[in-house]
Amino acid sequence: MAITMRPAILVLPLLLSLFLPSSAQNCLSETFSNSRLYDRCNSLGVLSATLHWTYHASNGTADIAYRAPQESSGFVAWAINPSSSGMIGANALLAFHNSSGAVTVISYVFNGYRPSVRDSNLSFTVYSKEAEYSNGAYTIYATVALEGNKTTLNTVWQAGQVSGGVPVGHTTGGDNINSKGSTDFLSGQSSSGGGGNSRLHRRNIHGVLNAVSWGILMPIGVIIARYLRVFKSADPAWFYLHAACQCSAYIIGVSGWGLGLKLGSESKGITYHSHRDIGIALFSLATLQVFALLLRPNKDNKYRIYWNVYHHLVGYSVIVLSVVNIFKGFDILDPAKKWKHAYIAIIATLGGIAFVLEAVTWAIVLKRRSRSSEKFHQGEYGTNGYGGRQHQGA
């Protein structure tokens, strides 16, 4: 079993490295109007945003320039959250085109998930603020006081829709719920949506673990059990391969499931009900399958047929629920389309292999039945129709 699990263990780091995000762009190449210059910058990793700033230690202020691509009909926002790491409590600067078509910037404190955005004071002083729109991107310029003269602060950034000249909301999935982190205005270090220990990083790990386990290894294990057992030369190797594959999938899948629960507990006010409920059902059914192995009757036991029916029904249910939930996860994470297309290709390939093996194994089974029937008739009646005994005269 350890030997069989090794390929899955070896391939996981490769898959993780492929799925994990890289820095959005090199912020050092960006320039600003009026020859503005800043001491430090960070590529924030999600929403293709960058933050530039100069920190003034003498008076605890920072000149900032936040830039993010967006359609002219939408808005962008950058915020400092003095009390938390998310949207609630965020002191934001929002840039958008108002009802007259002019680029404007307002300040607003988000105290709930259904805000009525209007220009208002923040919990810290904003000495200046302005915005511009150029080359498909908004840029917010501001000079702000760092509250309590702290240099490491939670930051949030966003992009969304405008209606009637007022920001009204944003997408509640993908990068739009991962756009938060922290920035040390003194050292320049930043933990953002693309950072090593960031929420987006962990969400991607959650997605990869579940896609590899429930969505790939589990179906492979089912294919092994259904088709290899037909080949006499594969007995009992098929059983050990099947058990190793499913146990590997279960261990990896439980890790991804546990990480998903942790991420869910951190998402205050955001719940993906169907994704969560299917995940809980998957874990429960898969756990039943694992414990069912301990109660597996012998082949000659009269209850074995009932165990087989249960084992097959639960197993196929896990496969169907797995694939459905993985696609729900794709909709939530909203990664590059190539990853969804890659998974579709994998599932289609496994389906094609199963289709071919179904035809091949049925042909083998029918041929064996035909031979068994011939042997039965030959044994009962003989080759000349008089049974297995020689005909004796009177």
Side-chain angles (χ1 to χ4, degrees):
M1 185 177 295
I3 295 175
T4 308
M5 290 173 65
R6 192 173 300 165
I9 295 172
L10 292 175
V11 80
L12 267 177
L14 175 61
L15 290 170
L16 289 171
S17 66
L18 290 173
F19 273 81
L20 297 181
S22 58
S23 182
Q25 55 182 307
N26 185 358
C27 62
L28 296 175
S29 63
E30 293 185 323
T31 58
F32 300 96
S33 61
N34 299 325
S35 301
R36 292 180 174 94
L37 297 174
Y38 298 91
D39 292 341
R40 298 183 182 276
C41 72
N42 273 326
S43 297
L44 299 179
V46 293
L47 298 178
S48 301
T50 58
L51 179 67
H52 299 248
W53 75 89
T54 298
Y55 172 62
H56 305 285
S58 59
N59 59 8
T61 64
D63 302 324
I64 67 102
Y66 170 78
R67 175 171 289 173
Q70 174 64 298
E71 296 179 355
S72 60
S73 57
F75 78 88
V76 301
W78 178 83
I80 291 175
N81 193 327
S83 58
S84 183
S85 61
M87 172 182 170
I88 302 301
N91 287 241
L93 298 169
L94 301 95
F96 55 97
H97 286 78
N98 60 22
S99 55
S100 63
V103 177
T104 185
V105 58
I106 65 172
S107 54
Y108 182 76
V109 180
F110 286 89
N111 291 317
Y113 287 102
R114 296 183 180 275
S116 178
V117 178
R118 62 190 181 282
D119 198 12
S120 55
N121 293 327
L122 303 182
S123 64
F124 51 83
T125 303
V126 179
Y127 292 100
S128 66
K129 59 184 180 183
E130 62 178 288
E132 64 184 22
Y133 185 80
S134 177
N135 298 321
Y138 282 101
T139 304
I140 298 174
Y141 302 103
T143 299
V144 300
L146 302 185
E147 192 171 29
N149 204 23
K150 296 178 180 178
T151 59
T152 301
L153 297 169
N154 296 319
T155 54
V156 186
W157 57 102
Q158 195 53 261
Q161 301 80 41
V162 173
S163 178
V166 179
V168 292
H170 62 81
T171 302
T172 57
D175 286 354
N176 293 86
I177 59 173
N178 300 314
S179 51
K180 58 184 178 180
S182 64
T183 299
D184 188 333
F185 287 87
L186 179 60
S187 70
Q189 294 182 350
S190 176
S191 172
S192 65
N197 294 317
S198 69
R199 179 175 174 78
L200 178 60
H201 183 96
R202 290 181 292 134
R203 284 164 61 89
N204 283 337
I205 291 176
H206 164 73
V208 172
L209 291 176
N210 287 311
V212 170
S213 58
W214 310 115
I216 298 177
L217 288 178
M218 279 282 183
I220 289 175
V222 170
I223 289 173
I224 289 172
R226 179 167 178 80
Y227 301 115
L228 289 190
R229 67 192 303 171
V230 174
F231 301 94
K232 294 180 179 180
S233 60
D235 192 17
W238 72 264
F239 174 77
Y240 296 111
L241 287 171
H242 169 68
C245 202
Q246 302 306 73
C247 287
S248 299
Y250 180 76
I251 293 169
I252 297 170
V254 168
S255 301
W257 179 76
L259 181 56
L261 291 181
K262 174 64 176 174
L263 290 168
S265 68
E266 295 173 354
S267 301
K268 303 299 182 183
I270 301 175
T271 304
Y272 301 101
H273 293 283
S274 59
H275 185 65
R276 179 198 63 187
D277 295 344
I278 294 175
I280 293 173
L282 267 175
F283 169 76
S284 302
L285 290 173
T287 301
L288 281 175
Q289 284 286 71
V290 171
F291 283 105
L293 291 175
L294 303 176
L295 303 174
R296 181 170 173 258
N298 294 326
K299 290 183 178 180
D300 56 352
N301 191 297
K302 64 178 181 179
Y303 296 109
R304 178 61 180 264
I305 186 173
Y306 302 109
W307 186 91
N308 285 341
V309 171
Y310 151 80
H311 187 64
H312 293 159
L313 286 178
V314 173
Y316 288 124
S317 297
V318 167
I319 299 301
V320 172
L321 290 175
S322 298
V323 174
V324 170
N325 218 28
I326 286 169
F327 280 105
K328 286 185 177 293
F330 275 120
D331 293 337
I332 293 168
L333 276 176
D334 194 25
K337 296 296 184 185
K338 61 182 179 181
W339 300 119
K340 188 173 184 178
H341 294 161
Y343 181 68
I344 292 173
I346 291 172
I347 290 299
T349 300
L350 292 177
I353 292 171
F355 179 81
V356 171
L357 288 176
E358 187 76 21
V360 171
T361 52
W362 265 111
I364 293 173
V365 169
L366 293 176
K367 189 174 182 179
R368 284 178 184 167
R369 288 180 180 176
S370 176
R371 288 178 178 176
S372 297
S373 178
E374 290 177 2
K375 289 181 180 179
F376 173 79
H377 287 293
Q378 288 175 6
E380 183 176 1
Y381 299 108
T383 57
N384 57 3
Y386 288 97
R389 294 173 295 177
Q390 294 181 350
H391 177 67
Q392 297 178 355

